[in-house]
């Protein structure tokens, strides 16, 4: 198990490095400098700025400097908010995003797995069909459609929710954004759980357990749940990526001052260092979480552990 | 008093009836054999008794267990009987045990569920049970996962879980079909010694298994119970036609058939052949090591061995499907080398293969006509389409299929028909050598006989040679002129069929023969001739590869590998070959 | 399945013919008729936006562009994915291991953020959208095709064909390809909605299709800004987008069941 964990960890490092280098080069390959569209920059001012951001150095040297900074957790200064470093901006935005993401993910797993198992046990029944139709709808409607429609409904028409974020307090303001963010994941996890549970329940060892006199509850708990969760676990990587993507929209629409919102603003304002920093931060996050998922896989499946 | 009383039991799926008004009784402590071909309703009946049928099945009739009705009862009621009063052992221990759960835990759950023990006491009971079924170091195996055990050990665990609650009736559904023949004997012995007063319902397609071990027989045909009676009586004077056919078709390892004559001309020679491959961990496994072999014109040579013997790897290498690591193959005076794609066309058509699983060997997207005729496009491109169809029709006719099959897809064929199409595909090229890799292993008695008959006829008519790979010695005896026995990648004995079966010189050959069940209650079943199972190829034993399981083994066997040497008109690789015959006599 | 296919066909037809059939051009502004609600008056069937542009024409144009981007991007991913997967699966061994390791590495990347980064640095280039979306979606296709090819390659009927003398080219085209088509069609139907999702997501953020062109994503974005006064601007493209995605998903699902059933025969 330890060997397995170490191998996984070692495998993740080159991936992360590749992401960083690729993202960095992509930004630096941009046609024209980041200040091309800035309003009448004086040549001297421009030169000063270039010196500040080391844009006059060769790309390789800049990359080296950037990587060096990364090791110290320094992502450089923001282009648009020169008073802040990118790390500081991420530090400001991340807590809200983290709360949103963790809540949405927990909700998705909890509701998705229960609904999927419930439907699997009643395969072909009316309940099953209703759950599956709902989840197909959930998969098909994008977050950026659900989010504004819910705002329109709850905030604009019904006035149940505060329209703004900062003015209101408490947990209530999280409900709609979290549900919006979790909805497609609930739907996907429910379908995945159902399919995998049905597959596992058709295996021979379940028949053995039935022949041994174990009741349905015991069979699900002891025999079926673990293997049925493996595909769901595999989906956690993409799910995390999808939640991060979705949070960009949700934060934008609900006006939540999170990392996703600063990412979009950075992108629209061409704040290169901020966008680059956030991409790298997200990449590191996703790779790290994928690593955790891989290790969990090893915990559930004894054969994986052997490798 | 009867333990189980089944009356007019029928099982239906929609319109089709798979079990039709079956009635029988099981008395306390007795052992009953339930025999029949595949699809005769044996397994369905067993699952029906325990209420384990799929949801779309409809069960009617009465099942009384100890006087109370259990047919169509709720799971809640049945759960008190399942595993506690009636338990079941399934065919494939690989699939039937939960791969994600430690085996100790799987057994413990049975005790907990039925309130027989809990806590430390349950653990102790489980360890004791594992010990009884013959697991070495049961305290450690308690924590093992199924994939860490061999096939035989898994089936022992399965039996342990079925007997741990001391049920009144044990249903064993083809419990040894997935196992090697020497392990099969061990498992059958184990069932017999452990069950005490538990009644046994043994389901099998193999009359040899029930012959010496069951007191009474139930014979199934197409969902109907056609004959029942004491085993000796049924074997001695079968009443129903189907029973007669089954008995007549059961291959007898103790009897041989008359075979077409063989020429003296050597057609194929294999010298010092070795085959190796890499496993998932990139370790090299030597599947075949230093094998010499020859095949004459019009001869049928059988290669027998258990799993891991290397018999399939050997023929795949000489066909050029996998590379030969060392050695050479000479066919009709010309060397056979390289991958099949690089060989001369004329050489390629001379060697053809028939696989075990016809379903996998036929492309599901192609019709029979293209499947059989495809190779003519390569080898005889000058043929016009009608000529080609004619050749295909002729080839199908040799295997007993008419032209109505031309436009069928593989899924529209039965197992026997599909295997005959596969043979027709091989025969259309008029090969000099036909290699059959377990080609009849998946077929029922009557279908198997048809296929063997086709092979014999073609051999008589064309003088074709056959290499017949099989694990079933009884079938081998009926078709082959010579037999080569392989064990763990080595050739251990080669001899004329009659000599090999009447006076085997290698202890392993002897064990294989003893372990093969004979469909005759008057021939007492041998108790398992070998202990243990075939070792892993990753770490083959030193010296003679067979020494860890051999009763003759001594220090020399452990250190020095015996060479294959001439003896009694055959060849054998054993230091004790000269003694084996004496001891047996 | 029939319903899904029918609705999709109808939407497709509208998207192709609609923009010409409408009396208003999609880019024409009319400040005398801003934010009109839907109705048959002046043939503004879906109303107008804050510049008085006809939303019927714009919605249909948006649908057309969304569909076009999705289909082309899916074809890009199809070509890359199928060739990559088939090569890895057929050649096998070390080549396969290296090729799949590369795919695994790409899988671990937060692709959508890369695409956004790409859109930011290279301005909004229409061609880039195709490439970007195709580049995300080919991974799934490659994995699936590779797995299928690998399992086909091990099937005994391939060995049987090799033994009877059938050439490699014929084995690939006659024995492997026909057994791949089913699964490729299924995943193509499931890739299209994913591509639609990515395109409309980018356009929603204002990073995709640019004015005066439009796509359903841009229309939803425009609708959000006006949703208090003109909710139809949000609801119409939103419902259309959701319907399309749902139909594609249902269709793909039904096709998968169909092919699965045939495989298990």
């Amino acid at each position: 198990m330890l060997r397995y964990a170490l191998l996984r960890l070692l495998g993740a490092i080159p991936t992360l490095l590749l992401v960083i280098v690729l993202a960095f080069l992509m930004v630096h390959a941009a046609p024209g400098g980041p200040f091309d569209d800035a309003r009448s920059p004086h040549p001297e001012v421009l030169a000063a700025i270039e010196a500040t951001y080391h844009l006059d150095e060769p790309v390789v040297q800049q990359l080296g400097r950037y990587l060096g900074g990364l090791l110290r957790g320094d992502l450089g200064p923001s282009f648009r908010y020169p008073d802040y470093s990118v790390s500081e901006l991420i530090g400001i935005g991340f807590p809200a995003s983290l709360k949103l993401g963790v809540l949405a993910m927990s909700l998705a797993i909890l509701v998705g797995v229960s609904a999927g198992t419930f439907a699997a046990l009643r395969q072909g029944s009316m309940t099953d069909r209703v759950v599956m139709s709902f989840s197909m709808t959930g998969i098909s409607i994008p977050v950026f459609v659900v989010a504004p429609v819910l705002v329109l409904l709850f905030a604009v028409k019904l006035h149940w929710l505060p329209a703004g974020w900062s003015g209101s307090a408490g947990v209530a303001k999280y409900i709609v954004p979290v549900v919006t963010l979790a909805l497609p994941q609930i739907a996907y996890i429910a379908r995945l759980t159902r399919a995998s549970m049905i597959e596992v329940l058709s295996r021979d060892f379940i028949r053995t357990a039935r022949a041994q006199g174990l009741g349905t509850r015991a069979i699900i708990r002891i025999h079926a749940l673990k293997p049925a969760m493996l595909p769901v676990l595999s989906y956690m990587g993409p799910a995390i990526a999808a939640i991060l993507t979705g949070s960009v929209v949700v934060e934008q629409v609900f006006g939540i001052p999170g990392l996703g919102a600063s990412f979009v603003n950075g992108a629209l304002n061409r704040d290169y260092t901020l966008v680059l920093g956030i991409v790298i931060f997200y990449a590191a996050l996703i790779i790290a979480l994928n690593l955790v998922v891989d290790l969990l896989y090893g915990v559930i499946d004894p054969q994986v552990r052997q490798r | 008093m009867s333990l189980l009383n089944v009356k007019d039991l029928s099982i239906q799926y929609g319109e089709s009836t798979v079990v039709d008004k079956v009635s029988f009784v099981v008395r306390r402590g007795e052992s009953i054999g339930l025999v029949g071909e595949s699809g005769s309703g044996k397994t369905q009946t067993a699952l029906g008794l325990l209420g384990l049928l799929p949801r779309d099945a409809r069960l009617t009739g009465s099942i009384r267990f100890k006087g109370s009705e259990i047919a169509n009862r709720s799971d809640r009621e049945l759960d008190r009987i399942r595993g506690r009063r009636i338990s079941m052992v399934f065919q494939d221990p690989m699939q039937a045990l939960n791969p994600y759960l430690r085996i100790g835990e799987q057994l413990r759950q049975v005790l907990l569920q039925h309130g027989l023990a809990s806590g430390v006491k349950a653990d102790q009971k489980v360890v004791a049970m594992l010990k009884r079924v013959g697991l070495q170091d049961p305290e450690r195996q308690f924590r093992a996962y199924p994939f860490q055990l061999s096939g035989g050990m898994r089936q022992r665990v399965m039996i342990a879980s079925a007997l741990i609650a001391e049920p009144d009736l044990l249903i064993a559904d083809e419990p040894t079909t997935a196992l090697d023949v020497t392990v099969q004997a061990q498992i059958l012995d184990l069932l017999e010694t452990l069950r005490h007063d538990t009644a046994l319902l043994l389901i099998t397609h193999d009359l040899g298994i029930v012959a010496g071990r069951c007191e009474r027989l139930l014979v199934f045909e197409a969902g109907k119970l056609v004959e029942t009676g004491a085993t000796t009586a049924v074997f001695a004077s079968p009443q129903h036609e189907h029973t007669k056919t089954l008995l007549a078709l059961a291959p007898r390892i103790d009897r041989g058939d008359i075979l077409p004559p063989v020429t003296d001309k050597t057609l194929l020679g294999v010298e010092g052949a070795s085959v190796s491959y890499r496993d998932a961990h990139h370790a090299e496994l030597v599947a075949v090591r230093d094998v010499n072999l020859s095949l004459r014109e019009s001869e049928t040579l059988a290669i027998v061995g258990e799993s891991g013997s290397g018999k399939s790897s050997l023929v795949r290498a000489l066909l050029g499907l996998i590379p030969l690591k060392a050695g050479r193959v000479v066919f009709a005076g010309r060397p056979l080398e390289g991958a099949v794609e690089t060989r001369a066309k004329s050489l390629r058509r001379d060697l053809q293969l028939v696989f075990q699983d016809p379903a996998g060997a036929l492309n599901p997207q192609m019709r029979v006509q293209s499947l059989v005729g495809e190779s003519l496009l390569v080898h005889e491109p000058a043929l016009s389409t009608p000529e080609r169809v004619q050749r295909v029709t002729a080839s199908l006719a040799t295997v007993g299929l008419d032209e109505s099959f031309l436009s069928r897809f593989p899924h529209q064929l039965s197992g026997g028909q599909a295997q005959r199409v596969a043979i027709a595909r091989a025969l259309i090229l008029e090969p000099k050598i036909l290699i059959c890799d377990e080609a009849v292993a998946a077929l029922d008695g009557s279908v198997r006989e048809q296929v063997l008959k086709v092979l014999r006829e073609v051999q008589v008519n064309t003088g074709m040679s056959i290499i017949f790979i099989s694990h079933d010695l009884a079938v081998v005896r009926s078709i082959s002129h010579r037999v080569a026995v392989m064990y763990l990648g080595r050739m251990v004995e080669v001899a004329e069929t009659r000599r090999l079966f009447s006076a085997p010189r290698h202890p392993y050959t002897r064990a294989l023969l003893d372990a093969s069940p004979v469909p005759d209650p008057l021939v007492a079943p041998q108790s398992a001739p070998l202990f243990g199972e075939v070792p892993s190829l990753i770490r083959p034993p030193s010296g003679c590869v067979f020494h860890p399981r051999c009763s003759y083994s001594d220090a020399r066997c452990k250190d020095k590998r015996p060479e294959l040497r001439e003896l009694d008109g055959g060849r054998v690789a054993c230091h004790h070959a000269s003694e084996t015959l004496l001891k047996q006599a | 399945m029939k319903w899904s296919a029918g609705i999709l066909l109808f939407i497709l037809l509208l998207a192709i013919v609609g923009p010409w059939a409408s009396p208003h051009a999609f880019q024409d502004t009319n400040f005398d008729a801003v934010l009109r609600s839907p109705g048959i008056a002046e043939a503004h069937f879906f109303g107008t936006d804050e510049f008085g542009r006809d939303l019927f024409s714009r919605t249909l144009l948006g649908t057309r562009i969304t569909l076009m981007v999705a289909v082309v991007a899916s074809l890009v991913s199809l070509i890359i994915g199928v060739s990559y997967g088939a090569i890895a699966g057929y050649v096998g061994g070390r080549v396969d291991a290296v090729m799949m390791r590369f795919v695994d590495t790409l899988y671990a990347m937060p692709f959508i953020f890369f695409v956004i980064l790409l859109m930011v640095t290279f301005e909004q280039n229409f061609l880039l959208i195709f490439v970007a979306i195709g580049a995300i979606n080919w991974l799934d296709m490659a994995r699936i095709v590779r797995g299928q090819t690998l399992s086909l390659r091990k099937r005994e009927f391939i060995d049987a064909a090799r033994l009877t003398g059938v050439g490699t080219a014929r084995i690939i085209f006659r024995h492997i390809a026909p057994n791949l088509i089913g699964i490729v069609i299924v995943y193509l139907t499931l890739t299209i909605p994913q591509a639609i999702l990515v395109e409309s997501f980018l356009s929603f953020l204002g990073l995709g299709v640019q004015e005066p062109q439009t796509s359903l994503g841009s229309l939803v974005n425009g609708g959000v800004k006006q949703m208090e006064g003109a909710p139809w601007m949000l609801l119409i493209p939103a419902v259309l987008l959701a319907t399309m995605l749902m139909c594609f998903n249902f269709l793909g699902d039904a096709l998968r069941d169909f092919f699965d059933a045939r495989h298990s025969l």
Side-chain angles (χ1 to χ4, degrees):
Chain A
M1 185 71 199
L2 196 68
R3 208 178 88 92
Y4 171 76
L6 278 174
L7 275 175
R8 289 282 148 181
L9 190 64
L10 283 176
I13 292 169
T15 311
L16 185 59
L17 205 65
L18 189 71
V19 169
I20 295 168
V21 173
L22 222 61
F24 186 85
L25 292 181
M26 219 186 258
V27 168
H28 283 261
F35 294 96
D36 278 7
D37 59 336
R39 272 151 229 99
S40 63
H42 215 266
E44 288 120 60
V45 177
L46 201 63
I49 292 173
E50 286 200 338
T52 318
Y53 293 102
H54 305 286
L55 292 175
D56 46 350
E57 292 172 0
V59 174
V60 180
Q61 202 174 335
Q62 290 185 47
L63 177 63
R65 184 184 301 280
Y66 193 75
L67 286 175
L70 262 182
L71 284 178
R72 297 188 306 271
D74 177 13
L75 292 158
S78 158
F79 268 145
R80 292 289 158 192
Y81 309 97
D83 296 343
Y84 291 94
S85 76
V86 171
S87 310
E88 280 168 343
L89 286 175
I90 290 176
I92 293 168
F94 188 53
S97 298
L98 182 69
K99 207 184 233 172
L100 194 64
V102 168
L103 285 173
M105 200 69 185
S106 317
L107 185 70
I109 294 172
L110 205 71
V111 179
V113 169
S114 332
T117 309
F118 190 76
L121 288 175
R122 290 159 188 75
Q123 194 192 347
S125 71
M126 202 59 212
T127 332
D128 178 28
R129 265 177 283 171
V130 168
V131 170
M132 282 307 101
S133 303
F134 264 113
S135 67
M136 187 53 116
T137 318
I139 289 173
S140 300
I141 303 180
V143 172
F144 63 84
V145 169
V146 176
V149 170
L150 288 184
V151 169
L152 183 64
L153 190 67
F154 288 114
V156 179
K157 297 286 175 204
L158 299 172
H159 298 288
W160 286 0
L161 288 169
W165 184 262
S166 42
S168 56
V171 195
K173 65 181 179 181
Y174 275 101
I175 295 174
V176 179
V178 166
V179 169
T180 309
L181 195 52
L183 214 54
Q185 305 314 316
I186 291 175
Y188 204 93
I189 291 173
R191 287 176 63 83
L192 212 55
T193 306
R194 175 182 178 270
S196 129
M197 188 60 92
I198 286 173
E199 195 270 325
V200 169
L201 288 177
S202 75
R203 297 230 210 129
D204 282 0
F205 65 79
I206 296 297
R207 193 177 61 184
T208 306
R210 288 183 67 202
Q212 288 170 345
L214 270 66
T216 306
R217 277 169 166 279
I219 286 175
I220 297 283
R221 188 169 50 84
I222 298 161
H223 286 279
L225 202 57
K226 250 191 191 183
M229 281 305 98
L230 288 177
V232 178
L233 196 56
S234 302
Y235 174 66
M236 283 303 111
I240 291 158
I243 293 260
L244 287 182
T245 314
S247 71
V248 170
V249 172
V250 169
E251 288 175 16
Q252 176 95 330
V253 173
F254 290 94
I256 302 168
L259 205 49
S262 19
F263 182 68
V264 176
N265 290 333
L268 292 172
N269 293 330
R270 316 230 165 278
D271 191 338
Y272 290 88
T273 44
L274 180 61
V275 171
L276 178 62
I278 295 179
V279 166
I280 289 171
F281 180 74
Y282 274 160
L285 196 65
I286 289 176
I287 290 169
L289 290 173
N290 270 322
L291 193 67
V292 174
V293 168
D294 270 354
L295 295 182
L296 278 177
Y297 214 98
V299 170
I300 294 190
D301 191 341
Q303 297 205 52
V304 168
R305 239 179 344 222
Q306 291 284 307
R307 280 189 222 126
Chain B
M1 176 198 154
S2 65
L3 183 67
L4 184 76
N5 196 336
V6 179
K7 205 158 165 38
D8 290 335
L9 178 74
S10 292
I11 297 167
Q12 281 153 321
Y13 289 88
E15 289 298 298
S16 74
T17 304
V18 294
V19 174
D20 192 5
K21 297 218 162 152
V22 165
S23 303
F24 62 90
V25 291
V26 178
R27 290 185 275 270
R28 275 184 195 284
E30 75 173 337
S31 63
I32 299 191
L34 201 167
V35 296
E37 299 195 321
S38 54
S40 60
K42 313 181 295 269
T43 299
Q44 294 295 319
T45 304
L47 294 176
L49 295 180
L50 275 177
L52 294 176
L53 290 166
R55 247 183 284 178
D56 52 339
R58 204 161 60 86
L59 183 143
T60 52
S62 148
I63 304 166
R64 299 186 83 81
F65 179 74
K66 287 185 164 175
S68 54
E69 183 62 46
I70 59 168
N72 290 317
R73 287 299 142 94
S74 70
D75 278 342
R76 195 179 290 269
E77 285 173 81
L78 286 172
D79 280 343
R80 283 197 286 271
I81 293 171
R82 294 174 183 156
R84 177 70 188 89
R85 302 285 172 209
I86 309 177
S87 64
M88 192 156 173
V89 172
F90 296 93
Q91 174 172 341
D92 189 352
M94 186 84 160
Q95 313 289 332
L97 290 171
N98 188 337
Y100 305 96
L101 221 54
R102 298 179 195 278
I103 60 170
E105 187 58 27
Q106 301 193 38
L107 264 70
R108 217 167 62 92
Q109 286 301 331
V110 182
L111 294 175
L112 297 183
Q113 179 69 29
H114 298 292
L116 296 173
S118 61
V120 186
K121 213 153 194 170
D123 289 2
Q124 286 167 349
K125 265 193 125 146
V126 170
V127 171
M129 193 68 214
L130 289 176
K131 197 181 168 102
R132 283 178 66 203
V133 296
L135 259 67
Q136 307 266 321
D137 196 359
E139 285 86 1
R140 206 169 57 86
Q141 302 290 23
F142 184 91
R143 298 185 50 77
Y145 287 97
F147 73 92
Q148 294 167 319
L149 303 179
S150 67
M153 287 302 148
R154 282 190 210 126
Q155 197 60 306
R156 284 168 193 267
V157 171
M158 191 71 225
I159 289 171
S161 80
L163 288 177
I164 198 166
E166 294 169 8
D168 300 308
L169 173 63
L170 172 66
I171 303 171
D173 186 6
E174 302 272 9
T176 57
T177 309
L179 305 173
D180 279 328
V181 62
T182 55
V183 181
Q184 159 169 303
Q186 296 168 7
I187 296 295
L188 291 173
D189 283 356
L190 186 71
L191 273 178
E192 199 49 50
T193 49
L194 284 191
R195 70 181 181 89
H196 300 301
D197 349 309
T198 301
L200 174 69
L201 185 63
L202 181 62
I203 300 172
T204 180
H205 68 286
D206 188 344
L207 284 165
I209 288 180
V210 292
R213 297 182 190 267
C214 295
E215 294 152 34
R216 283 198 303 130
L217 282 189
L218 307 169
V219 183
F220 272 55
E221 184 200 9
K224 287 197 172 68
L225 177 61
V226 294
E227 181 154 1
T228 165
T231 307
T232 42
V234 173
F235 272 86
S237 56
Q239 300 300 306
H240 193 274
E241 278 311 311
H242 185 68
T243 317
K244 289 179 191 166
T245 322
L246 279 183
L247 283 171
L249 287 173
R252 299 282 307 238
I253 195 170
D254 49 350
R255 279 177 217 156
D257 278 13
I258 296 150
L259 298 163
V262 181
T263 65
D264 282 338
K265 274 174 45 198
T266 299
L267 184 61
L268 180 84
V270 178
E271 288 162 32
S274 293
V275 179
S276 69
Y277 57 92
R278 296 195 174 274
D279 70 357
H281 307 275
H282 300 285
E284 189 184 28
L285 303 180
V286 183
V288 177
R289 204 186 279 268
D290 198 19
V291 165
N292 296 317
L293 200 66
S294 70
L295 179 70
R296 290 170 290 175
E297 272 179 23
S298 303
E299 182 185 36
T300 301
L301 170 72
I303 304 179
V304 299
E306 296 178 284
S307 51
S309 66
K311 50 193 196 303
S312 287
S313 302
L314 175 64
V315 296
R316 264 156 213 276
L318 66 92
L319 284 165
L321 289 175
I322 53 175
L324 202 59
K325 191 187 159 212
R328 60 193 214 108
V329 183
V330 179
F331 170 73
R334 295 156 75 187
L336 262 188
E337 53 200 6
V340 62
E341 283 85 358
T342 65
R343 294 180 180 177
K345 260 192 203 173
S346 60
L347 276 178
R348 287 174 83 172
R349 68 182 297 173
D350 283 341
L351 278 85
Q352 290 301 322
L353 176 66
V354 179
F355 299 86
Q356 169 172 358
D357 170 27
L362 301 177
N363 186 341
Q365 305 277 346
M366 284 165 80
R367 292 174 196 277
V368 169
Q369 186 184 325
S370 338
L371 284 168
V372 177
E374 187 180 31
S375 59
L376 291 179
L377 294 174
V378 182
H379 293 283
E380 289 170 45
L383 286 183
S384 68
T385 309
E387 283 171 325
R388 207 165 48 239
V389 175
Q390 205 185 346
R391 286 279 294 277
V392 172
T393 316
S395 187
L396 286 176
T398 28
V399 297
L401 299 175
D402 61 37
E403 51 207 67
S404 69
F405 284 91
L406 283 174
S407 58
R408 293 212 194 164
F409 282 104
H411 68 84
Q412 296 167 316
L413 303 170
S414 71
Q417 288 165 348
Q419 191 61 300
R420 281 187 279 166
V421 167
I423 294 174
R425 170 176 60 191
L427 292 180
I428 201 167
L429 292 172
E430 296 161 348
K432 300 254 166 46
I433 301 177
L434 184 69
I435 298 170
C436 300
D437 188 358
E438 297 278 11
V440 297
L443 307 177
D444 273 324
S446 49
V447 185
R448 183 185 60 226
E449 279 313 305
Q450 280 172 6
V451 170
L452 291 176
K453 193 165 146 250
V454 166
L455 293 177
R456 277 193 213 107
E457 280 170 5
V458 174
Q459 187 168 50
V460 170
N461 294 337
T462 66
M464 170 180 80
S465 304
I466 298 175
I467 296 179
F468 192 88
I469 294 180
S470 179
H471 68 283
D472 187 341
L473 285 162
V475 171
V476 161
R477 178 155 203 179
S478 74
I479 189 165
S480 56
H481 298 95
R482 270 194 313 145
V483 180
V485 181
M486 289 185 73
Y487 183 81
L488 215 61
R490 305 258 186 196
M491 185 78 75
V492 296
E493 183 165 9
V494 192
E496 296 293 324
T497 305
R498 195 173 317 160
R499 211 286 272 140
L500 188 108
F501 279 78
S502 59
R505 302 307 294 258
H506 197 284
Y508 177 63
T509 314
R510 165 99 259 161
L512 273 184
L513 292 176
D514 287 347
S516 300
V518 180
D520 187 344
L522 301 178
V523 179
Q526 306 270 352
S527 62
L530 284 185
F531 49 88
E533 295 175 51
V534 181
S536 153
L537 275 174
I538 302 170
R539 276 178 296 278
S542 63
C544 173
V545 283
F546 186 59
H547 86 261
R549 301 176 74 193
C550 183
S551 56
Y552 292 90
S553 149
D554 57 20
R556 186 165 48 137
C557 301
K558 204 170 170 183
D559 299 335
K560 191 169 175 298
R561 188 170 62 80
E563 294 297 326
L564 207 59
R565 58 194 166 97
E566 298 284 335
L567 188 77
D568 261 6
R571 288 182 299 152
V572 61
C574 176
H575 294 307
H576 299 274
S578 45
E579 308 155 36
T580 51
L581 212 55
L582 292 171
K583 193 164 175 179
Q584 169 201 339
Chain C
M1 180 163 163
K2 274 186 200 146
W3 273 99
S4 305
I7 294 172
L8 280 177
L9 220 61
F10 178 69
I11 293 176
L12 191 71
L13 213 69
L14 265 183
I16 293 170
V17 182
W20 286 307
S22 169
H24 305 279
F26 70 89
Q27 73 277 42
D28 286 358
T29 52
N30 177 2
F31 289 97
D32 296 331
V34 295
L35 295 175
R36 289 274 167 89
S37 47
I40 46 168
E42 295 174 57
H44 289 306
F45 304 118
F46 290 174
T48 61
D49 66 8
E50 67 268 35
F51 304 112
R53 294 181 294 192
D54 177 48
L55 278 174
F56 182 69
S57 308
R58 289 188 69 73
T59 305
L60 293 187
L61 176 82
T63 312
R64 184 202 276 180
I65 289 180
T66 295
L67 272 174
M68 189 179 69
V69 172
V71 170
V72 174
S74 297
L75 287 178
V76 171
S77 79
L78 177 82
I79 292 164
I80 307 177
V82 171
S83 347
Y84 194 93
I87 290 172
Y90 192 78
V91 177
R94 200 155 291 178
V95 176
D96 173 46
V98 170
M99 285 175 86
M100 281 303 122
R101 183 78 205 119
F102 179 65
V103 168
D104 285 346
T105 309
L106 292 188
Y107 245 106
M109 291 193 180
F111 248 107
I112 194 80
F113 297 103
F114 261 91
V115 171
I116 293 173
L117 195 62
L118 206 67
M119 304 312 270
V120 171
T121 50
F122 288 91
E123 304 296 319
Q124 285 85 8
N125 184 332
F126 209 64
L127 201 70
L128 211 57
I129 301 178
F130 294 132
V131 177
I133 299 173
I136 297 180
N137 286 334
W138 74 271
L139 293 174
D140 278 318
M141 190 63 96
R143 267 194 176 175
I144 285 153
V145 169
R146 178 254 179 189
Q148 187 77 359
T149 311
L150 205 64
S151 81
L152 283 171
R153 183 80 184 74
K154 282 187 195 143
R155 294 277 289 277
E156 292 185 331
F157 66 78
I158 300 294
D159 278 345
R162 290 171 68 198
L163 285 172
T164 49
V166 179
T168 307
R170 196 176 154 85
I171 287 181
I172 291 174
F173 289 108
R174 193 78 176 84
H175 292 269
I176 292 183
N179 284 297
L180 281 177
I181 284 175
I183 203 156
V184 168
I185 290 176
V186 168
Y187 279 90
L188 188 64
T189 8
L190 292 173
T191 305
I192 293 176
Q194 282 174 17
I196 293 179
L197 216 55
V198 177
E199 183 279 327
S200 43
F201 174 72
L202 290 176
S203 296
F204 173 81
L205 294 180
L207 294 165
V209 176
Q210 295 298 300
E211 294 283 343
Q213 299 288 329
T214 191
S215 87
L216 289 178
S218 324
L219 288 170
V220 172
N221 189 21
V224 171
K225 289 175 191 142
Q226 300 293 331
M227 69 184 174
E228 293 187 35
W232 63 88
M233 275 185 67
L234 168 62
L235 291 176
I236 291 173
V239 167
L240 196 62
L241 186 62
T243 310
M244 262 166 48
L245 289 168
M246 202 133 61
C247 287
F248 271 116
N249 280 329
F250 267 118
L251 196 64
D253 234 37
L255 282 176
R256 179 163 46 194
D257 290 347
F258 173 73
F259 280 110
D260 276 356
R262 228 185 41 166
H263 265 281
S264 59
L265 268 177

